[in-house]
Amino acid sequence: MPQRDHLTVTVQRGGPDAPMRPQTFEVPAYDNQTVLDVVSWIQQNADPTLTYRFACRVGMCGSCAMMVNGVPRWTCRTHVNKVLDGNAIEVGPLRNLPVIKDLAADMDPFFDKWVTAEGRHHPTRTRQEEIAPVDPQAEERQAASAGIECINCSVCYSACDTVAGNPDYLGPAALQRAWTLYNDAKDADRDAILDAVSGKGGCHSCHSMGSCTAYCPNELDPLSAIAGLKRATAKRFFGGRK
Amino acid sequence: MKVARAHPLWLAYLLHRLSGLGLAVFLPLHFWVLSYALNDAAKLDAFLTLTEMPLVKAAEFGLVFLLAVHFFGGLRLIALEWLPWSAPQKTWAAAAVAGSFLVSTTFLLQAI
Ligand code: HEM
Ligand code: SF4
Ligand code: SF4
Ligand code: FES
């Protein structure tokens, strides 16, 4: 590959007060450069007013996701040379969320839906009681464990066209969380979870197009988790219990 | 920014949506023409001579194609959502269905 010394980087600027508009920068190219490095370079060397968000820089915190050439990605672990289109990249705020400013999307609707989907623990014991042992080999536990590495980055939520078309749709991450808790031996209110995910905007709104699973940076599989909820809610509807 | 989303499952979704809509548009027409069999058999026969035309033949092929695509796409979705299979199990099942389809249609085509 020919050695490039500069990248042409277009970032989306704007927010609620100013309409979004693209702005292009020439950014020096380095080996092993991430998209977050590029955005940081612009903010530190070209335009200090550029707004974006990150924290851990190692793929743990889920705060740095942005649209990169039309695909939602965790920018701190996305190498520039994996996504370059010719010599250019285009970076924008996550899709399907309100924009705070420039590259920082407002994550509130995303997190609110975790709560709406009953994505919270319903304890079986108090802190005074002994901790119940968990069998890591149990089938149920394996289903739960499959989803627990979610970093709340909202990449799947931005990738999902059902979210784009239906503002009430809870979205892949919140539904996957509900499925995880549903399979958790230490969760005491599975009916509340099924109630929360079987209504309007719940798991049955999902069209199994799989963009969530295709783009999740942690290689999780919300598509299959949501299919699990579809089966569980349908079983309950027809009078069966798991 | 243009959204890039052309991964296989999304394309399958698009195909299913388009074939479903195509069928939804076609079916009422189909029943309307069939209704002539009850009301006006001569008109139906006149219409059926149309089906000899190459363009109409091509359109018929398109419809059968739509139905096949939507049918297998629908079975795919039902399997995907209702059978909690692992990825390798799905690959084997798909291969088995494709293989048996190939063999059985070969026999069918030889029979007719
Ligand atoms: C022949 C008449 C048919 C018509 C007019 C029709 C039409 C449609 C339409 C418009 C959709 C919505 C697509 C979407 O939500 O993305 C759909 C979805 C679906 N169809 Fe059909 N269909 C027909 C036959 C079938 C058959 C024979 C099967 C099964 C083998 C089937 C299985 C499905 C399934 C599973 C869905 C859900 C797709 C989703 O959730 O996105 N359909 N159909
Ligand atoms: S599989 Fe369901 S949740 Fe995932 S992207 Fe498609 S519609 Fe959205
Ligand atoms: S499921 Fe994956 S893409 Fe979605 S929020 Fe969790 S880590 Fe991010
Ligand atoms: S900065 Fe924490 S995941 Fe990217």
Side-chain angles (χ1 to χ4, degrees):
Chain A
M1 209 194 277
Q3 199 59 43
R4 293 173 294 265
D5 58 354
H6 277 80
L7 310 165
T8 305
V9 182
T10 304
V11 290
Q12 294 292 331
R13 308 292 305 267
D17 310 320
M20 296 304 281
R21 66 188 163 82
Q23 190 178 1
T24 301
F25 298 90
E26 292 294 311
V27 178
Y30 302 107
D31 287 342
N32 300 321
Q33 199 172 17
T34 65
V35 174
L36 183 62
D37 291 336
V38 167
V39 171
S40 300
W41 187 93
I42 296 174
Q43 196 266 337
Q44 284 162 12
N45 300 286
D47 185 347
T49 68
L50 179 67
T51 303
Y52 64 110
R53 181 171 50 221
F54 73 96
C56 71
R57 307 196 327 296
V58 290
M60 300 282 289
C61 71
S63 59
C64 66
M66 300 168 203
M67 300 298 290
V68 181
N69 286 348
V71 174
R73 294 188 185 279
W74 53 359
T75 55
C76 69
R77 297 199 60 184
T78 302
H79 280 261
V80 164
N81 49 23
K82 290 252 167 69
V83 293
L84 265 186
D85 180 5
N87 197 34
I89 7 177
E90 190 181 355
V91 188
L94 279 179
R95 198 168 74 106
N96 296 342
L97 289 166
V99 178
I100 298 174
K101 182 174 169 286
D102 300 343
L103 302 175
D106 180 356
M107 305 278 277
D108 278 356
F110 174 73
F111 290 119
D112 289 346
K113 285 176 179 177
W114 281 58
V115 181
T116 315
E118 280 297 319
R120 54 178 131 187
H121 180 54
H122 312 92
T124 45
R125 297 188 179 191
T126 65
R127 64 175 67 237
Q128 273 72 40
E129 288 165 279
E130 246 184 83
I131 296 174
V134 166
D135 172 12
Q137 299 309 321
E139 200 179 308
E140 239 188 2
R141 184 61 233 169
Q142 306 242 328
S145 298
I148 55 176
E149 296 294 337
C150 173
I151 59 170
N152 310 359
C153 64
S154 196
V155 160
C156 54
Y157 189 83
S158 295
C160 175
D161 288 321
T162 302
V163 173
N166 176 0
D168 291 333
Y169 180 47
L170 294 170
L175 289 170
Q176 173 172 256
R177 172 71 178 160
W179 175 242
T180 300
L181 288 171
Y182 181 77
N183 284 287
D184 188 339
K186 292 186 175 181
D187 197 286
D189 201 353
R190 297 174 181 206
D191 274 321
I193 297 173
L194 293 190
D195 287 344
V197 302
S198 52
K200 192 167 170 282
C203 61
H204 295 281
S205 299
C206 163
H207 291 281
S208 297
M209 58 183 93
S211 297
C212 48
T213 297
Y215 297 121
C216 172
N218 268 344
E219 295 177 7
L220 304 186
D221 188 2
L223 162 67
S224 299
I226 297 168
L229 288 176
K230 287 176 180 173
R231 292 192 299 274
T233 49
K235 259 187 212 151
R236 186 178 70 156
F237 180 79
F238 291 112
R241 294 277 142 166
K242 58 175 276 165
Chain B
M1 185 183 312
K2 238 184 102 211
V3 179
R5 43 161 93 81
H7 56 86
L9 278 187
W10 192 84
L11 293 174
Y13 156 80
L14 185 69
L15 197 62
H16 195 74
R17 174 68 56 97
L18 293 178
S19 60
L21 290 175
L23 288 172
V25 170
F26 161 73
L27 269 189
L29 278 172
H30 182 63
F31 289 130
W32 180 60
V33 172
L34 283 186
S35 73
Y36 284 140
L38 300 176
N39 303 331
D40 190 345
K43 217 165 173 184
L44 180 69
D45 284 338
F47 185 82
L48 286 181
T49 53
L50 274 183
T51 57
E52 298 299 320
M53 286 161 58
L55 188 72
V56 180
K57 276 250 182 315
E60 276 171 355
F61 168 77
L63 278 169
V64 174
F65 179 74
L66 281 187
L67 189 64
V69 157
H70 194 81
F71 183 77
F72 285 108
L75 291 179
R76 175 192 70 91
L77 280 168
I78 291 165
L80 180 77
E81 294 181 1
W82 291 93
L83 305 171
W85 291 352
S86 67
Q89 282 171 322
K90 286 177 194 164
T91 310
W92 283 111
V97 170
S100 52
F101 184 69
L102 188 73
V103 173
S104 57
T105 33
T106 311
F107 274 104
L108 180 73
L109 287 178
Q110 278 180 346
I112 54 178

